[in-house]
Amino acid sequence: MKVMIVGGGKTLYFLCRNFIAKGYTVVIINRNKEECVQLARQLSATVVCGDGSDAVILKDAGAVGADVVLAITPNDQDNLVICQLAALKFGVPRTIAMANDPENVEIFENLGVTAFSTTHIVSSLIEQRASMEQIINLLPIGEGRVNVTEIALNTDSPVTGKLLKDIVLPENALVAVVMRDQRPIVPRGGNQLLAGDRLVLITLPENHGPVLKIFSGEEQ
Amino acid sequence: MGNRLYIVIVGCGRLGSYLANHLSRMGHSVVVIDSNEETFNDLSSDFSGFRVMGDATQIGILKEAKLKQADVLFATTHEDNVNLMVAQIAHKLFNVRHVLARVFDPRREQVYEQLGIETICPTSVAAEMFLMAVAGSQAVEGDKMS
């Protein structure tokens, strides 16, 4: 897979390190000459120095063969144009823009560009994690439309000892996996939940609170 | 032009302020947006429109300028990408009837034509005029020869 990333800073550096470790071919476009030299020294990636929203630079960087273009500059207008040029001029199949201003996520989606906001992701993580100690892990997927939550059961949990089929969940919620003694179980109605189990829950934002309440007993 | 238009101009630089002054004098309702308050000094004393200070890539600023009611939007900042983003938002999300963006880079122009965004490229316009001038002087030369 060939990934092209436009931007700079630590986020870009660690993302690239991650991608390279996975065996992806990484191309970086960055405007700052000194940062380019640093990146080229530290990473086994192709580094192109220039404006990523300039069609000539994108072309030189090999946009035509890229599988993904990721635009994470601090300027939303640049991220939008980079993704549009990559998709429309060079036929890149998947482009993703970072929206520094969280309000721009919806706007970019309306303009046909996939977008995400770190502000959204971090704030939802903090909010939902801070609200309950038992929640071990939380990950929004599908642009935040689906939550994956890991929750630990103790002896006080209202569902401990119950069969899964006796627990009434709202629509569009699921206990996907039960981790028991390091072993994963994909549960069915006949499985009993025990203290010490860690459940992986799939929820939607609208039923997330009620579902957690069923398993923890606490008000969200 | 008999009827009064509601015109939003993004960027109050040389081009933006010129357009704002001119259109205001013609009797249109004009709103100018710029993130730098000092640029409003370029508006003439008889400019009767509104000034909105802020970054036009933030939707709140565009709402403050009542973009929804606008008949026309001109995006004239010095940054191509700002102009292209604002023009698309005005065209697609606020349904502004007539949207024009200034884009310096001719290569960016083509892609946005595809997206239905009308652009004016000062580089192309100036180049064309220079080339016409050359053609004109060649014709004069030609006349002399014959």
Side-chain angles (χ1 to χ4, degrees), chain A residues 15-29:
Chain A
L15 265 178
C16 290
R17 221 173 59 167
N18 211 335
F19 289 151
I20 291 163
K22 284 184 177 152
Y24 300 164
T25 308
V26 175
V27 181
I28 300 167
I29 304 179

Side-chain angles (χ1 to χ4, degrees), chain B residues 72-97:
Chain B
V72 179
L73 174 127
F74 293 147
T76 70
T77 76
H78 290 282
E79 269 191 73
D80 280 3
N81 296 347
V82 170
N83 294 342
L84 289 168
M85 177 168 164
V86 171
Q88 287 184 81
I89 292 172
H91 175 68
K92 293 237 174 76
L93 307 182
F94 288 85
N95 296 316
V96 177
R97 238 179 331 119

